[in-house]
Amino acid sequence: MTMRWKAFPDPVHDGQRQFRRVLAAMAEPGTLQVAEAPAVPDDAAIGAALWGTLLALCDLETRLWIAPGLEAGGLIDALGFHTGCRVTAAPEEADFALVTPASLSAPAPAFAEGSDAYPDRSTTLLVVLDALAEEGPWRLAGPGIPGTRTLEVGAAAPLMRRLAANRARFPRGLDAILTCGERLAAIPRSTRLEAQALGQPQEDSACMSQ
């Protein structure tokens, strides 16, 4: 089962490159990065960008919470084999949480949001989306954004409401890495979110392949 999930051809250097893509996405919220990651099995519930991100971020010390349904295709065994990370059943203990927007609907998991003294002790969301593009109905502003940017995230209102709530709790809050197929973007907790008038989704925003 684990052999169906491939590691990077060069685990060290490829993992470092993927880590830099994630950092670039966090530094410039709302911009897209395209992952060069191994393809995932046909029955997986996540895409290549998220698999590559998991390979780059997870290690023996990592605690990962996985929303029901996203473990499809033997993901948990593959993560144990390739990264050694620990899967936890307690969302508040997780360093990273693998989620969909629907899994953040009420009653939402109680992820750690850090504290004023230790804001870094929070959960980072790793999100599976059905669409992701740089032009869309959500306006982003804040550090790393000259003026504003807009983002298309598909049917993700529960996610965006949860991230918009960061503003009232800052410096506490949740950072999010958004993925769709081979694409990824990020919304750190410092980003201000506002819903614009809804328009037509971009033609290339949907995840056509994993």
Side-chain angles (χ1 to χ4, degrees):
M1 180 68 75
T2 57
M3 293 300 99
R4 299 168 62 235
W5 293 81
K6 305 300 182 183
F8 287 119
D10 185 338
V12 174
H13 293 97
D14 292 340
Q16 289 174 344
R17 278 190 284 270
Q18 179 65 10
F19 183 71
R20 287 194 292 270
R21 291 187 190 98
V22 173
L23 289 182
M26 293 292 287
E28 298 185 79
T31 60
L32 293 189
Q33 301 286 324
V34 178
E36 297 177 6
V40 299
D42 291 341
D43 56 348
I46 69 171
L50 186 43
W51 175 236
T53 300
L54 288 166
L55 291 175
L57 297 182
C58 293
D59 58 25
L60 293 171
E61 301 301 317
T62 303
R63 295 166 298 180
L64 177 68
W65 185 84
I66 302 177
L70 293 182
E71 74 283 359
L75 175 62
I76 293 176
D77 288 341
L79 283 168
F81 180 78
H82 288 294
T83 74
C85 74
R86 294 174 287 165
V87 175
T88 178
E92 68 276 8
E93 296 179 355
D95 301 302
F96 299 101
L98 187 55
V99 301
T100 65
S103 64
L104 299 177
S105 299
F111 298 118
E113 296 190 3
S115 65
D116 291 343
Y118 300 99
D120 57 313
R121 295 178 182 176
S122 63
T123 302
T124 297
L125 304 181
L126 306 177
V127 188
V128 179
L129 295 174
D130 59 9
L132 182 61
E134 288 184 337
E135 300 292 335
W138 291 93
R139 182 185 291 116
L140 285 63
I145 304 173
T148 62
R149 291 193 179 104
T150 62
L151 199 62
E152 167 65 51
V153 293
L159 165 71
M160 301 307 271
R161 285 195 297 268
R162 187 77 180 264
L163 297 180
N166 282 333
R167 186 174 184 180
R169 301 186 179 105
F170 193 83
R172 295 173 295 152
L174 301 172
D175 300 318
I177 299 169
L178 315 179
T179 70
C180 177
E182 296 179 347
R183 307 173 215 164
L184 68 86
I187 301 179
R189 73 191 69 184
S190 57
T191 302
R192 300 188 299 276
L193 295 172
E194 180 183 8
Q196 302 185 108
L198 294 176
Q200 293 296 319
Q202 298 296 301
E203 290 184 0
D204 64 347
S205 66
C207 298
M208 301 305 295
S209 66
Q210 298 297 315

